[in-house]
Amino acid sequence: MASEQRQHLITRGLLLDWAATAAPTDNATASAAANAGHALRALDRRTALNDLRARAYLRDAFRDLDDQDEDDDPHPLNCAGRCDGTGEALTVLTWEHHGDGIYTPVHQEPVLCLGAPTAHAPDCATCEGHGFTYTPGYRELCLDGRTSDREPAEATSASQGA
């Protein structure tokens, strides 16, 4: 419960801090961001600071929280999923069809890395197991049934919206 409250304070405070930075004449938003920083410091049982330092504490707390989340599932620099340690791999999602089975890549985005080369579940409800969906003139990579080679083929991952 305390960690959820802490995450809420950090998120709310960062949004207010961003809004206050975007509109420097909006003193009410800056004050609300500082209040969120003060509340976070109180929750963390830290002494009170001035408003600017309380806002800075929010940003530092977010960096620490963000770093902590990454440590839960670290990817090595030489990750087999080709993410170079970032946890995301640049992946071609859309190919244009030129006839006779010839497709050229037209769109790519960062996709969540599963830590190993990915296979596709044969029972995928989106693409029926072949790994692609088709629209007139295009082929799209199906991300719904991706599975890591380290996991059993029966396990399907939730939609990895990209």
PDB file of all heavy atoms in Angstrom, residues 51-89:
ATOM      1  N   ASP A  51      10.516  24.623  -1.634  1.00  0.00           N
ATOM      2  CA  ASP A  51       9.679  24.117  -2.724  1.00  0.00           C
ATOM      3  C   ASP A  51      10.486  23.612  -3.922  1.00  0.00           C
ATOM      4  O   ASP A  51      10.181  22.554  -4.476  1.00  0.00           O
ATOM      5  CB  ASP A  51       8.688  25.186  -3.180  1.00  0.00           C
ATOM      6  CG  ASP A  51       7.591  25.423  -2.159  1.00  0.00           C
ATOM      7  OD1 ASP A  51       7.513  24.666  -1.162  1.00  0.00           O
ATOM      8  OD2 ASP A  51       6.791  26.361  -2.363  1.00  0.00           O
ATOM      9  N   LEU A  52      11.506  24.356  -4.333  1.00  0.00           N
ATOM     10  CA  LEU A  52      12.311  23.926  -5.483  1.00  0.00           C
ATOM     11  C   LEU A  52      13.030  22.614  -5.214  1.00  0.00           C
ATOM     12  O   LEU A  52      13.093  21.734  -6.072  1.00  0.00           O
ATOM     13  CB  LEU A  52      13.316  25.009  -5.874  1.00  0.00           C
ATOM     14  CG  LEU A  52      12.722  26.260  -6.514  1.00  0.00           C
ATOM     15  CD1 LEU A  52      13.813  27.288  -6.764  1.00  0.00           C
ATOM     16  CD2 LEU A  52      12.011  25.911  -7.805  1.00  0.00           C
ATOM     17  N   ARG A  53      13.549  22.464  -4.033  1.00  0.00           N
ATOM     18  CA  ARG A  53      14.252  21.213  -3.692  1.00  0.00           C
ATOM     19  C   ARG A  53      13.266  20.058  -3.528  1.00  0.00           C
ATOM     20  O   ARG A  53      13.603  18.910  -3.814  1.00  0.00           O
ATOM     21  CB  ARG A  53      15.093  21.422  -2.445  1.00  0.00           C
ATOM     22  CG  ARG A  53      16.216  22.459  -2.745  1.00  0.00           C
ATOM     23  CD  ARG A  53      17.218  22.545  -1.689  1.00  0.00           C
ATOM     24  NE  ARG A  53      18.134  21.408  -1.882  1.00  0.00           N
ATOM     25  CZ  ARG A  53      19.071  21.097  -1.014  1.00  0.00           C
ATOM     26  NH1 ARG A  53      19.205  21.794   0.089  1.00  0.00           N
ATOM     27  NH2 ARG A  53      19.870  20.093  -1.237  1.00  0.00           N
ATOM     28  N   ALA A  54      12.043  20.347  -3.102  1.00  0.00           N
ATOM     29  CA  ALA A  54      11.019  19.294  -3.000  1.00  0.00           C
ATOM     30  C   ALA A  54      10.661  18.786  -4.397  1.00  0.00           C
ATOM     31  O   ALA A  54      10.472  17.580  -4.597  1.00  0.00           O
ATOM     32  CB  ALA A  54       9.785  19.825  -2.287  1.00  0.00           C
ATOM     33  N   ARG A  55      10.565  19.699  -5.362  1.00  0.00           N
ATOM     34  CA  ARG A  55      10.296  19.290  -6.745  1.00  0.00           C
ATOM     35  C   ARG A  55      11.471  18.476  -7.297  1.00  0.00           C
ATOM     36  O   ARG A  55      11.275  17.494  -8.012  1.00  0.00           O
ATOM     37  CB  ARG A  55      10.007  20.510  -7.610  1.00  0.00           C
ATOM     38  CG  ARG A  55       8.645  21.117  -7.315  1.00  0.00           C
ATOM     39  CD  ARG A  55       8.412  22.431  -8.010  1.00  0.00           C
ATOM     40  NE  ARG A  55       8.525  22.319  -9.468  1.00  0.00           N
ATOM     41  CZ  ARG A  55       8.434  23.373 -10.273  1.00  0.00           C
ATOM     42  NH1 ARG A  55       8.222  24.578  -9.773  1.00  0.00           N
ATOM     43  NH2 ARG A  55       8.537  23.206 -11.570  1.00  0.00           N
ATOM     44  N   ALA A  56      12.677  18.879  -6.956  1.00  0.00           N
ATOM     45  CA  ALA A  56      13.859  18.128  -7.388  1.00  0.00           C
ATOM     46  C   ALA A  56      13.871  16.733  -6.760  1.00  0.00           C
ATOM     47  O   ALA A  56      14.282  15.758  -7.397  1.00  0.00           O
ATOM     48  CB  ALA A  56      15.133  18.887  -7.031  1.00  0.00           C
ATOM     49  N   TYR A  57      13.394  16.636  -5.520  1.00  0.00           N
ATOM     50  CA  TYR A  57      13.314  15.337  -4.851  1.00  0.00           C
ATOM     51  C   TYR A  57      12.371  14.397  -5.613  1.00  0.00           C
ATOM     52  O   TYR A  57      12.644  13.197  -5.723  1.00  0.00           O
ATOM     53  CB  TYR A  57      12.845  15.518  -3.406  1.00  0.00           C
ATOM     54  CG  TYR A  57      12.817  14.243  -2.618  1.00  0.00           C
ATOM     55  CD1 TYR A  57      13.988  13.676  -2.150  1.00  0.00           C
ATOM     56  CD2 TYR A  57      11.612  13.594  -2.349  1.00  0.00           C
ATOM     57  CE1 TYR A  57      13.969  12.494  -1.422  1.00  0.00           C
ATOM     58  CE2 TYR A  57      11.585  12.419  -1.630  1.00  0.00           C
ATOM     59  CZ  TYR A  57      12.760  11.867  -1.169  1.00  0.00           C
ATOM     60  OH  TYR A  57      12.745  10.697  -0.469  1.00  0.00           O
ATOM     61  N   LEU A  58      11.284  14.938  -6.152  1.00  0.00           N
ATOM     62  CA  LEU A  58      10.366  14.136  -6.967  1.00  0.00           C
ATOM     63  C   LEU A  58      11.091  13.540  -8.170  1.00  0.00           C
ATOM     64  O   LEU A  58      10.942  12.351  -8.474  1.00  0.00           O
ATOM     65  CB  LEU A  58       9.198  14.991  -7.478  1.00  0.00           C
ATOM     66  CG  LEU A  58       8.081  15.299  -6.525  1.00  0.00           C
ATOM     67  CD1 LEU A  58       7.175  16.365  -7.112  1.00  0.00           C
ATOM     68  CD2 LEU A  58       7.292  14.036  -6.227  1.00  0.00           C
ATOM     69  N   ARG A  59      11.848  14.380  -8.869  1.00  0.00           N
ATOM     70  CA  ARG A  59      12.566  13.898 -10.055  1.00  0.00           C
ATOM     71  C   ARG A  59      13.597  12.834  -9.680  1.00  0.00           C
ATOM     72  O   ARG A  59      13.727  11.827 -10.365  1.00  0.00           O
ATOM     73  CB  ARG A  59      13.212  15.072 -10.785  1.00  0.00           C
ATOM     74  CG  ARG A  59      12.179  16.016 -11.404  1.00  0.00           C
ATOM     75  CD  ARG A  59      12.812  17.093 -12.259  1.00  0.00           C
ATOM     76  NE  ARG A  59      13.593  18.058 -11.499  1.00  0.00           N
ATOM     77  CZ  ARG A  59      13.107  19.157 -10.946  1.00  0.00           C
ATOM     78  NH1 ARG A  59      11.825  19.439 -11.058  1.00  0.00           N
ATOM     79  NH2 ARG A  59      13.899  19.975 -10.277  1.00  0.00           N
ATOM     80  N   ASP A  60      14.302  13.041  -8.573  1.00  0.00           N
ATOM     81  CA  ASP A  60      15.279  12.048  -8.118  1.00  0.00           C
ATOM     82  C   ASP A  60      14.597  10.744  -7.716  1.00  0.00           C
ATOM     83  O   ASP A  60      15.095   9.652  -8.013  1.00  0.00           O
ATOM     84  CB  ASP A  60      16.091  12.582  -6.942  1.00  0.00           C
ATOM     85  CG  ASP A  60      17.044  13.698  -7.349  1.00  0.00           C
ATOM     86  OD1 ASP A  60      17.340  13.820  -8.557  1.00  0.00           O
ATOM     87  OD2 ASP A  60      17.478  14.442  -6.457  1.00  0.00           O
ATOM     88  N   ALA A  61      13.463  10.853  -7.045  1.00  0.00           N
ATOM     89  CA  ALA A  61      12.724   9.656  -6.626  1.00  0.00           C
ATOM     90  C   ALA A  61      12.250   8.874  -7.847  1.00  0.00           C
ATOM     91  O   ALA A  61      12.279   7.641  -7.853  1.00  0.00           O
ATOM     92  CB  ALA A  61      11.537  10.051  -5.748  1.00  0.00           C
ATOM     93  N   PHE A  62      11.841   9.594  -8.891  1.00  0.00           N
ATOM     94  CA  PHE A  62      11.411   8.915 -10.114  1.00  0.00           C
ATOM     95  C   PHE A  62      12.585   8.184 -10.760  1.00  0.00           C
ATOM     96  O   PHE A  62      12.449   7.052 -11.190  1.00  0.00           O
ATOM     97  CB  PHE A  62      10.794   9.891 -11.112  1.00  0.00           C
ATOM     98  CG  PHE A  62      10.486   9.243 -12.426  1.00  0.00           C
ATOM     99  CD1 PHE A  62       9.445   8.341 -12.528  1.00  0.00           C
ATOM    100  CD2 PHE A  62      11.259   9.504 -13.546  1.00  0.00           C
ATOM    101  CE1 PHE A  62       9.161   7.716 -13.732  1.00  0.00           C
ATOM    102  CE2 PHE A  62      10.993   8.894 -14.749  1.00  0.00           C
ATOM    103  CZ  PHE A  62       9.940   8.002 -14.846  1.00  0.00           C
ATOM    104  N   ARG A  63      13.746   8.831 -10.828  1.00  0.00           N
ATOM    105  CA  ARG A  63      14.924   8.171 -11.412  1.00  0.00           C
ATOM    106  C   ARG A  63      15.273   6.907 -10.627  1.00  0.00           C
ATOM    107  O   ARG A  63      15.580   5.879 -11.212  1.00  0.00           O
ATOM    108  CB  ARG A  63      16.110   9.130 -11.439  1.00  0.00           C
ATOM    109  CG  ARG A  63      16.024  10.136 -12.549  1.00  0.00           C
ATOM    110  CD  ARG A  63      17.302  10.973 -12.648  1.00  0.00           C
ATOM    111  NE  ARG A  63      16.974  12.247 -13.221  1.00  0.00           N
ATOM    112  CZ  ARG A  63      16.823  13.377 -12.553  1.00  0.00           C
ATOM    113  NH1 ARG A  63      16.998  13.415 -11.255  1.00  0.00           N
ATOM    114  NH2 ARG A  63      16.513  14.498 -13.171  1.00  0.00           N
ATOM    115  N   ASP A  64      15.215   7.000  -9.306  1.00  0.00           N
ATOM    116  CA  ASP A  64      15.499   5.828  -8.481  1.00  0.00           C
ATOM    117  C   ASP A  64      14.467   4.739  -8.706  1.00  0.00           C
ATOM    118  O   ASP A  64      14.799   3.565  -8.791  1.00  0.00           O
ATOM    119  CB  ASP A  64      15.539   6.201  -6.999  1.00  0.00           C
ATOM    120  CG  ASP A  64      16.728   7.078  -6.654  1.00  0.00           C
ATOM    121  OD1 ASP A  64      17.689   7.136  -7.457  1.00  0.00           O
ATOM    122  OD2 ASP A  64      16.696   7.714  -5.582  1.00  0.00           O
ATOM    123  N   LEU A  65      13.196   5.123  -8.807  1.00  0.00           N
ATOM    124  CA  LEU A  65      12.120   4.164  -9.041  1.00  0.00           C
ATOM    125  C   LEU A  65      12.285   3.526 -10.410  1.00  0.00           C
ATOM    126  O   LEU A  65      12.163   2.315 -10.557  1.00  0.00           O
ATOM    127  CB  LEU A  65      10.761   4.863  -8.943  1.00  0.00           C
ATOM    128  CG  LEU A  65       9.528   4.009  -9.142  1.00  0.00           C
ATOM    129  CD1 LEU A  65       9.384   3.030  -7.987  1.00  0.00           C
ATOM    130  CD2 LEU A  65       8.295   4.884  -9.251  1.00  0.00           C
ATOM    131  N   ASP A  66      12.605   4.338 -11.422  1.00  0.00           N
ATOM    132  CA  ASP A  66      12.785   3.837 -12.773  1.00  0.00           C
ATOM    133  C   ASP A  66      13.974   2.894 -12.840  1.00  0.00           C
ATOM    134  O   ASP A  66      13.901   1.829 -13.452  1.00  0.00           O
ATOM    135  CB  ASP A  66      12.960   5.006 -13.738  1.00  0.00           C
ATOM    136  CG  ASP A  66      12.874   4.575 -15.187  1.00  0.00           C
ATOM    137  OD1 ASP A  66      12.036   3.715 -15.488  1.00  0.00           O
ATOM    138  OD2 ASP A  66      13.650   5.100 -16.009  1.00  0.00           O
ATOM    139  N   ASP A  67      15.087   3.245 -12.194  1.00  0.00           N
ATOM    140  CA  ASP A  67      16.258   2.371 -12.164  1.00  0.00           C
ATOM    141  C   ASP A  67      15.951   1.067 -11.449  1.00  0.00           C
ATOM    142  O   ASP A  67      16.392   0.005 -11.854  1.00  0.00           O
ATOM    143  CB  ASP A  67      17.435   3.057 -11.469  1.00  0.00           C
ATOM    144  CG  ASP A  67      18.012   4.194 -12.291  1.00  0.00           C
ATOM    145  OD1 ASP A  67      17.715   4.248 -13.499  1.00  0.00           O
ATOM    146  OD2 ASP A  67      18.737   5.008 -11.718  1.00  0.00           O
ATOM    147  N   GLN A  68      15.163   1.143 -10.396  1.00  0.00           N
ATOM    148  CA  GLN A  68      14.805  -0.043  -9.626  1.00  0.00           C
ATOM    149  C   GLN A  68      13.986  -1.001 -10.485  1.00  0.00           C
ATOM    150  O   GLN A  68      14.183  -2.204 -10.441  1.00  0.00           O
ATOM    151  CB  GLN A  68      14.008   0.370  -8.397  1.00  0.00           C
ATOM    152  CG  GLN A  68      13.655  -0.769  -7.479  1.00  0.00           C
ATOM    153  CD  GLN A  68      12.846  -0.286  -6.277  1.00  0.00           C
ATOM    154  OE1 GLN A  68      12.318   0.816  -6.273  1.00  0.00           O
ATOM    155  NE2 GLN A  68      12.750  -1.121  -5.289  1.00  0.00           N
ATOM    156  N   ASP A  69      13.062  -0.484 -11.290  1.00  0.00           N
ATOM    157  CA  ASP A  69      12.261  -1.335 -12.162  1.00  0.00           C
ATOM    158  C   ASP A  69      13.127  -2.049 -13.183  1.00  0.00           C
ATOM    159  O   ASP A  69      12.903  -3.209 -13.489  1.00  0.00           O
ATOM    160  CB  ASP A  69      11.193  -0.513 -12.890  1.00  0.00           C
ATOM    161  CG  ASP A  69      10.109  -0.007 -11.954  1.00  0.00           C
ATOM    162  OD1 ASP A  69      10.013  -0.541 -10.827  1.00  0.00           O
ATOM    163  OD2 ASP A  69       9.371   0.910 -12.349  1.00  0.00           O
ATOM    164  N   GLU A  70      14.141  -1.363 -13.721  1.00  0.00           N
ATOM    165  CA  GLU A  70      15.010  -1.982 -14.705  1.00  0.00           C
ATOM    166  C   GLU A  70      15.841  -3.099 -14.099  1.00  0.00           C
ATOM    167  O   GLU A  70      16.154  -4.068 -14.763  1.00  0.00           O
ATOM    168  CB  GLU A  70      15.918  -0.930 -15.327  1.00  0.00           C
ATOM    169  CG  GLU A  70      15.172   0.029 -16.234  1.00  0.00           C
ATOM    170  CD  GLU A  70      16.057   1.144 -16.751  1.00  0.00           C
ATOM    171  OE1 GLU A  70      17.287   1.090 -16.525  1.00  0.00           O
ATOM    172  OE2 GLU A  70      15.512   2.058 -17.372  1.00  0.00           O
ATOM    173  N   ASP A  71      16.198  -2.972 -12.827  1.00  0.00           N
ATOM    174  CA  ASP A  71      17.011  -3.988 -12.183  1.00  0.00           C
ATOM    175  C   ASP A  71      16.253  -5.287 -11.950  1.00  0.00           C
ATOM    176  O   ASP A  71      16.869  -6.324 -11.762  1.00  0.00           O
ATOM    177  CB  ASP A  71      17.555  -3.483 -10.848  1.00  0.00           C
ATOM    178  CG  ASP A  71      18.557  -2.351 -11.038  1.00  0.00           C
ATOM    179  OD1 ASP A  71      19.074  -2.208 -12.164  1.00  0.00           O
ATOM    180  OD2 ASP A  71      18.790  -1.624 -10.071  1.00  0.00           O
ATOM    181  N   ASP A  72      14.915  -5.242 -11.971  1.00  0.00           N
ATOM    182  CA  ASP A  72      14.133  -6.447 -11.758  1.00  0.00           C
ATOM    183  C   ASP A  72      14.356  -7.467 -12.871  1.00  0.00           C
ATOM    184  O   ASP A  72      14.302  -8.654 -12.654  1.00  0.00           O
ATOM    185  CB  ASP A  72      12.639  -6.124 -11.662  1.00  0.00           C
ATOM    186  CG  ASP A  72      12.296  -5.391 -10.388  1.00  0.00           C
ATOM    187  OD1 ASP A  72      13.124  -5.409  -9.448  1.00  0.00           O
ATOM    188  OD2 ASP A  72      11.213  -4.785 -10.323  1.00  0.00           O
ATOM    189  N   ASP A  73      14.564  -7.002 -14.101  1.00  0.00           N
ATOM    190  CA  ASP A  73      14.737  -7.898 -15.224  1.00  0.00           C
ATOM    191  C   ASP A  73      15.844  -7.345 -16.118  1.00  0.00           C
ATOM    192  O   ASP A  73      15.580  -6.836 -17.204  1.00  0.00           O
ATOM    193  CB  ASP A  73      13.420  -8.033 -15.994  1.00  0.00           C
ATOM    194  CG  ASP A  73      13.476  -9.097 -17.065  1.00  0.00           C
ATOM    195  OD1 ASP A  73      14.365  -9.977 -16.993  1.00  0.00           O
ATOM    196  OD2 ASP A  73      12.668  -9.072 -17.978  1.00  0.00           O
ATOM    197  N   PRO A  74      17.092  -7.434 -15.658  1.00  0.00           N
ATOM    198  CA  PRO A  74      18.173  -6.841 -16.437  1.00  0.00           C
ATOM    199  C   PRO A  74      18.448  -7.635 -17.715  1.00  0.00           C
ATOM    200  O   PRO A  74      18.318  -8.856 -17.742  1.00  0.00           O
ATOM    201  CB  PRO A  74      19.362  -6.898 -15.488  1.00  0.00           C
ATOM    202  CG  PRO A  74      19.066  -8.050 -14.598  1.00  0.00           C
ATOM    203  CD  PRO A  74      17.566  -8.077 -14.457  1.00  0.00           C
ATOM    204  N   HIS A  75      18.799  -6.921 -18.746  1.00  0.00           N
ATOM    205  CA  HIS A  75      19.225  -7.549 -19.990  1.00  0.00           C
ATOM    206  C   HIS A  75      20.712  -7.258 -20.144  1.00  0.00           C
ATOM    207  O   HIS A  75      21.130  -6.106 -20.026  1.00  0.00           O
ATOM    208  CB  HIS A  75      18.464  -6.961 -21.183  1.00  0.00           C
ATOM    209  CG  HIS A  75      17.050  -7.417 -21.261  1.00  0.00           C
ATOM    210  ND1 HIS A  75      16.583  -8.225 -22.261  1.00  0.00           N
ATOM    211  CD2 HIS A  75      15.998  -7.174 -20.463  1.00  0.00           C
ATOM    212  CE1 HIS A  75      15.293  -8.452 -22.076  1.00  0.00           C
ATOM    213  NE2 HIS A  75      14.924  -7.828 -20.988  1.00  0.00           N
ATOM    214  N   PRO A  76      21.527  -8.253 -20.433  1.00  0.00           N
ATOM    215  CA  PRO A  76      22.958  -7.993 -20.615  1.00  0.00           C
ATOM    216  C   PRO A  76      23.204  -7.207 -21.908  1.00  0.00           C
ATOM    217  O   PRO A  76      22.342  -7.170 -22.793  1.00  0.00           O
ATOM    218  CB  PRO A  76      23.558  -9.403 -20.696  1.00  0.00           C
ATOM    219  CG  PRO A  76      22.439 -10.262 -21.158  1.00  0.00           C
ATOM    220  CD  PRO A  76      21.184  -9.652 -20.593  1.00  0.00           C
ATOM    221  N   LEU A  77      24.365  -6.598 -22.006  1.00  0.00           N
ATOM    222  CA  LEU A  77      24.684  -5.830 -23.215  1.00  0.00           C
ATOM    223  C   LEU A  77      24.684  -6.700 -24.464  1.00  0.00           C
ATOM    224  O   LEU A  77      24.365  -6.234 -25.549  1.00  0.00           O
ATOM    225  CB  LEU A  77      26.037  -5.137 -23.052  1.00  0.00           C
ATOM    226  CG  LEU A  77      26.066  -4.004 -22.029  1.00  0.00           C
ATOM    227  CD1 LEU A  77      27.472  -3.464 -21.884  1.00  0.00           C
ATOM    228  CD2 LEU A  77      25.099  -2.908 -22.426  1.00  0.00           C
ATOM    229  N   ASN A  78      25.021  -7.972 -24.318  1.00  0.00           N
ATOM    230  CA  ASN A  78      25.032  -8.886 -25.462  1.00  0.00           C
ATOM    231  C   ASN A  78      23.785  -9.791 -25.439  1.00  0.00           C
ATOM    232  O   ASN A  78      23.860 -10.976 -25.726  1.00  0.00           O
ATOM    233  CB  ASN A  78      26.309  -9.725 -25.478  1.00  0.00           C
ATOM    234  CG  ASN A  78      26.456 -10.577 -24.235  1.00  0.00           C
ATOM    235  OD1 ASN A  78      25.732 -10.401 -23.257  1.00  0.00           O
ATOM    236  ND2 ASN A  78      27.397 -11.505 -24.273  1.00  0.00           N
ATOM    237  N   CYS A  79      22.630  -9.213 -25.126  1.00  0.00           N
ATOM    238  CA  CYS A  79      21.374  -9.952 -25.005  1.00  0.00           C
ATOM    239  C   CYS A  79      21.049 -10.700 -26.307  1.00  0.00           C
ATOM    240  O   CYS A  79      21.181 -10.136 -27.402  1.00  0.00           O
ATOM    241  CB  CYS A  79      20.242  -8.970 -24.671  1.00  0.00           C
ATOM    242  SG  CYS A  79      18.617  -9.734 -24.578  1.00  0.00           S
ATOM    243  N   ALA A  80      20.607 -11.942 -26.174  1.00  0.00           N
ATOM    244  CA  ALA A  80      20.269 -12.754 -27.339  1.00  0.00           C
ATOM    245  C   ALA A  80      19.057 -12.205 -28.090  1.00  0.00           C
ATOM    246  O   ALA A  80      18.851 -12.526 -29.258  1.00  0.00           O
ATOM    247  CB  ALA A  80      19.992 -14.193 -26.902  1.00  0.00           C
ATOM    248  N   GLY A  81      18.251 -11.379 -27.450  1.00  0.00           N
ATOM    249  CA  GLY A  81      17.098 -10.780 -28.120  1.00  0.00           C
ATOM    250  C   GLY A  81      17.457  -9.544 -28.923  1.00  0.00           C
ATOM    251  O   GLY A  81      16.587  -8.876 -29.473  1.00  0.00           O
ATOM    252  N   ARG A  82      18.742  -9.187 -28.996  1.00  0.00           N
ATOM    253  CA  ARG A  82      19.273  -8.069 -29.774  1.00  0.00           C
ATOM    254  C   ARG A  82      18.822  -6.701 -29.247  1.00  0.00           C
ATOM    255  O   ARG A  82      18.650  -5.765 -30.010  1.00  0.00           O
ATOM    256  CB  ARG A  82      18.901  -8.202 -31.253  1.00  0.00           C
ATOM    257  CG  ARG A  82      19.437  -9.427 -31.924  1.00  0.00           C
ATOM    258  CD  ARG A  82      19.087  -9.496 -33.392  1.00  0.00           C
ATOM    259  NE  ARG A  82      17.942  -8.721 -33.800  1.00  0.00           N
ATOM    260  CZ  ARG A  82      16.726  -9.190 -34.046  1.00  0.00           C
ATOM    261  NH1 ARG A  82      16.499 -10.471 -33.921  1.00  0.00           N
ATOM    262  NH2 ARG A  82      15.746  -8.406 -34.438  1.00  0.00           N
ATOM    263  N   CYS A  83      18.633  -6.566 -27.927  1.00  0.00           N
ATOM    264  CA  CYS A  83      18.220  -5.269 -27.367  1.00  0.00           C
ATOM    265  C   CYS A  83      19.408  -4.466 -26.848  1.00  0.00           C
ATOM    266  O   CYS A  83      19.238  -3.322 -26.435  1.00  0.00           O
ATOM    267  CB  CYS A  83      17.202  -5.467 -26.255  1.00  0.00           C
ATOM    268  SG  CYS A  83      17.882  -6.134 -24.722  1.00  0.00           S
ATOM    269  N   ASP A  84      20.604  -5.033 -26.839  1.00  0.00           N
ATOM    270  CA  ASP A  84      21.812  -4.364 -26.347  1.00  0.00           C
ATOM    271  C   ASP A  84      21.657  -3.875 -24.913  1.00  0.00           C
ATOM    272  O   ASP A  84      22.176  -2.832 -24.535  1.00  0.00           O
ATOM    273  CB  ASP A  84      22.218  -3.210 -27.257  1.00  0.00           C
ATOM    274  CG  ASP A  84      22.569  -3.669 -28.660  1.00  0.00           C
ATOM    275  OD1 ASP A  84      23.141  -4.765 -28.788  1.00  0.00           O
ATOM    276  OD2 ASP A  84      22.271  -2.942 -29.626  1.00  0.00           O
ATOM    277  N   GLY A  85      20.866  -4.587 -24.124  1.00  0.00           N
ATOM    278  CA  GLY A  85      20.710  -4.262 -22.709  1.00  0.00           C
ATOM    279  C   GLY A  85      19.604  -3.283 -22.389  1.00  0.00           C
ATOM    280  O   GLY A  85      19.351  -3.002 -21.231  1.00  0.00           O
ATOM    281  N   THR A  86      18.917  -2.752 -23.382  1.00  0.00           N
ATOM    282  CA  THR A  86      17.883  -1.747 -23.138  1.00  0.00           C
ATOM    283  C   THR A  86      16.532  -2.341 -22.781  1.00  0.00           C
ATOM    284  O   THR A  86      15.688  -1.654 -22.219  1.00  0.00           O
ATOM    285  CB  THR A  86      17.684  -0.847 -24.369  1.00  0.00           C
ATOM    286  OG1 THR A  86      17.195  -1.651 -25.452  1.00  0.00           O
ATOM    287  CG2 THR A  86      18.983  -0.154 -24.753  1.00  0.00           C
ATOM    288  N   GLY A  87      16.280  -3.584 -23.142  1.00  0.00           N
ATOM    289  CA  GLY A  87      14.977  -4.194 -22.894  1.00  0.00           C
ATOM    290  C   GLY A  87      14.009  -3.989 -24.045  1.00  0.00           C
ATOM    291  O   GLY A  87      12.895  -4.495 -24.026  1.00  0.00           O
ATOM    292  N   GLU A  88      14.437  -3.240 -25.067  1.00  0.00           N
ATOM    293  CA  GLU A  88      13.622  -3.040 -26.264  1.00  0.00           C
ATOM    294  C   GLU A  88      14.500  -3.258 -27.486  1.00  0.00           C
ATOM    295  O   GLU A  88      15.652  -2.847 -27.510  1.00  0.00           O
ATOM    296  CB  GLU A  88      13.053  -1.621 -26.329  1.00  0.00           C
ATOM    297  CG  GLU A  88      12.015  -1.330 -25.290  1.00  0.00           C
ATOM    298  CD  GLU A  88      11.450   0.077 -25.413  1.00  0.00           C
ATOM    299  OE1 GLU A  88      12.141   0.973 -25.931  1.00  0.00           O
ATOM    300  OE2 GLU A  88      10.312   0.254 -24.994  1.00  0.00           O
ATOM    301  N   ALA A  89      13.935  -3.905 -28.503  1.00  0.00           N
ATOM    302  CA  ALA A  89      14.675  -4.148 -29.743  1.00  0.00           C
ATOM    303  C   ALA A  89      13.915  -3.504 -30.895  1.00  0.00           C
ATOM    304  O   ALA A  89      12.691  -3.613 -30.985  1.00  0.00           O
ATOM    305  CB  ALA A  89      14.812  -5.647 -29.987  1.00  0.00           C
TER     306      ALA A  89
END
